[in-house]
């Protein structure tokens, strides 16, 4: 993947837009609410544990985290969120999936459909692109402060059950099966390796290289607009930018 940029890398290079816009606390809080509801507030549950860890990594105050857990377990009033996944196509037929947490599915569906159509894409039926993706655990480790070599990190990851490791100038991303994610996370914890983000999300099994600058601009704008929607928890696609476009600003 050297010289190329997938959407996750593009988003990272552009900075944490959600944090800049004050939305990340809301998104992380919703994930804690839903995870807490599913497990009854058991903080040893892996989904809730990583939701809390991600919130702490993004400096969400402890009182916000506790309030979200209470909402999830019925200890505080709050909206009832529904988990949804929308699928569709971006400019040029690129596959796009969006994970949603909403308290009004009709409103959200209409708004997401409008974003697709306004940005050169179209929202599809459930399953239209889902077959192109596979759920993977993704553990992000910053290079800054890491005392291990890449080879040593890879060895720890593989011995713990990881599938693959990708690297760029700023961080490593370790990919695991959903079943192995917790074990790999614990292995890093035992080695005092800082994991800045832990997510379980769809990863494209094959990617499409984008070489046209105008198509790249349209795709990035579509993805950013979907990311900015208040109900969005994650946006995924199967495109990557060519080496010539990888470092361009869009």
């Amino acid at each position: 993947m050297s010289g190329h940029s997938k959407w996750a890398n593009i988003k990272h290079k552009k900075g944490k837009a959600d944090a800049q816009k004050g939305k990340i606390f809301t998104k992380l809080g919703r994930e804690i609410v839903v995870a807490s509801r599913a497990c009854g507030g058991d903080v040893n549950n892996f989904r809730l544990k990583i939701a809390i860890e991600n919130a702490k990594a993004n400096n969400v105050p402890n009182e916000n985290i506790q309030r979200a857990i209470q909402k999830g377990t019925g200890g505080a009033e709050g909206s009832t969120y529904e988990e949804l996944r929308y699928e569709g196509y971006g400019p040029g037929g690129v596959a796009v999936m969006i994970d949603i947490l909403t308290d009004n599915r009709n409103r959200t569906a209409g708004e997401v459909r409008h974003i697709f159509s306004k940005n050169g894409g179209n929202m599809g039926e459930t399953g239209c692109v889902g077959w192109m993706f596979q759920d993977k655990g993704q553990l992000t480790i910053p290079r800054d402060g890491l005392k291990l070599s890449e080879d040593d990190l890879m060895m720890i990851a593989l011995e713990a059950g990881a599938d693959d490791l990708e690297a760029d100038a700023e961080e490593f991303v370790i990919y695991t099966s959903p079943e192995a994610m917790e074990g790999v996370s614990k292995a890093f914890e035992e080695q005092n390796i800082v994991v800045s983000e832990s997510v379980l999300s769809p990863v494209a099994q094959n990617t499409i290289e984008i070489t046209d600058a105008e198509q790249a601009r349209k795709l990035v704008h579509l993805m950013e607009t979907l990311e900015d929607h208040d109900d969005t928890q994650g946006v995924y696609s199967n495109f990557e930018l060519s080496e010539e476009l990888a470092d361009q600003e869009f």
Side-chain angles (χ1 to χ4, degrees):
M1 203 195 76
S2 177
H4 293 62
S5 285
K6 297 180 182 177
W7 170 243
N9 305 91
I10 298 165
K11 184 172 61 171
H12 180 81
K13 288 179 181 178
K14 295 175 77 65
K16 292 186 176 179
D18 280 348
Q20 294 168 359
K21 297 175 182 178
K23 292 184 177 181
I24 195 144
F25 282 15
T26 300
K27 292 177 185 287
L28 292 168
R30 285 179 180 171
E31 173 60 21
I32 292 173
V33 170
V34 173
S36 182
R37 181 180 299 128
C39 70
D42 178 7
V43 293
N44 293 313
N45 174 270
F46 188 59
R47 179 178 177 182
L48 179 55
K49 184 179 179 181
I50 64 172
I52 292 172
E53 288 175 353
N54 287 338
K56 289 181 176 179
N58 284 277
N59 301 313
V60 177
N62 284 331
E63 55 266 32
N64 293 40
I65 294 172
Q66 293 305 315
R67 193 179 307 121
I69 293 172
Q70 290 174 358
K71 284 184 179 180
T73 56
E77 292 185 5
S79 300
T80 299
Y81 295 113
E82 185 176 7
E83 293 183 89
L84 302 170
R85 176 169 285 175
Y86 295 139
E87 303 178 30
Y89 302 92
V94 167
V96 179
M97 291 206 307
I98 312 101
D99 279 342
I100 294 289
L101 284 178
T102 180
D103 57 2
N104 187 331
R105 69 153 58 199
N106 291 331
R107 169 185 54 77
T108 302
E111 291 171 353
V112 171
R113 191 180 302 277
H114 177 71
I115 291 172
F116 268 108
S117 62
K118 189 177 179 181
N119 290 279
N122 61 284
M123 194 160 139
E125 299 295 326
T126 299
C128 66
V129 300
W131 58 273
M132 303 180 193
F133 296 81
Q134 185 176 16
D135 282 343
K136 290 277 189 180
Q138 299 170 67
L139 306 174
T140 302
I141 297 173
R143 283 184 181 270
D144 187 33
L146 183 67
K147 295 181 172 62
L148 297 172
S149 68
E150 180 174 338
D151 287 343
D152 288 339
L153 181 64
M154 171 75 88
M155 185 64 65
I156 292 169
L158 293 178
E159 287 182 351
D163 295 333
D164 197 11
L165 179 149
E166 286 186 352
D168 63 23
E170 297 181 352
E171 63 190 17
F172 300 96
V173 179
I174 289 82
Y175 294 93
T176 77
S177 67
E179 298 77 19
M181 185 178 178
E182 185 172 6
V184 176
S185 181
K186 285 182 177 178
F188 290 146
E189 185 179 345
E190 290 170 358
Q191 296 288 334
N192 296 314
I193 297 170
V194 175
V195 176
S196 62
E197 185 178 40
S198 303
V199 294
L200 180 62
S201 61
V203 175
Q205 298 183 66
N206 295 288
T207 56
I208 297 173
E209 183 182 75
I210 305 300
T211 58
D212 180 76
E214 180 61 18
Q215 183 185 8
R217 184 192 65 78
K218 290 179 179 178
L219 279 168
V220 171
H221 188 264
L222 169 63
M223 299 292 282
E224 286 185 328
T225 307
L226 289 169
E227 287 266 10
D228 282 345
H229 190 280
D230 287 343
D231 296 337
T232 296
Q233 293 297 108
V235 182
Y236 321 100
S237 186
N238 67 337
F239 78 90
E240 63 180 23
L241 302 183
S242 66
E243 290 189 30
E244 293 73 17
L245 296 177
D247 295 322
Q248 291 189 24
E249 294 290 333
F250 292 101

